[in-house]
Amino acid sequence: MKTLNYLLLTVALLISITAMAAEIGTALKADSVRAEPYADAKTTGSFARGDKLEILSKQGAWLKVKTSKTTGWVRLLSVKRGDLAKNNDS
């Protein structure tokens, strides 16, 4: 029983750490958010240049992002990882 509790605690901890590890990005240009990481996938939303995006994962040349309105896939080249405002202050 102790082993099961330890295992469940470890899994819960790893899940919470993974959730906190989401990266912030900034849109370099306006683009569409897609349901799947393919150019011909259904469009589920869009974002404007300069919008903040939460980067959830990467698959090939695509990033899964969360915008203020939707979650989906965008081309890697449409997003600058990190906060542009922080990078431009120096």
Side-chain angles (χ1 to χ4, degrees):
M1 188 65 165
K2 282 185 176 181
T3 304
L4 179 60
N5 286 340
Y6 179 73
L7 179 63
L8 291 174
L9 179 63
T10 302
V11 169
L13 182 61
L14 289 173
I15 289 171
S16 65
I17 290 171
T18 303
M20 292 187 307
E23 188 177 358
I24 299 298
T26 305
L28 291 173
K29 62 179 186 169
D31 204 351
S32 298
V33 178
R34 305 208 175 265
E36 298 178 65
Y38 307 106
D40 58 351
K42 179 183 174 188
T43 300
T44 60
S46 62
F47 55 85
R49 181 176 187 246
D51 284 357
K52 300 289 182 247
L53 309 170
E54 183 179 350
I55 301 169
L56 305 174
S57 63
K58 180 180 182 283
Q59 182 177 325
W62 293 83
L63 294 174
K64 186 170 188 179
V65 298
K66 181 177 180 183
T67 69
S68 60
K69 298 179 183 175
T70 189
T71 299
W73 295 90
V74 299
R75 292 174 184 93
L76 181 68
L77 296 176
S78 296
V79 179
K80 167 72 174 156
R81 290 181 177 211
D83 189 351
L84 283 180
K86 286 182 186 176
N87 295 339
N88 290 335
D89 285 345
S90 51

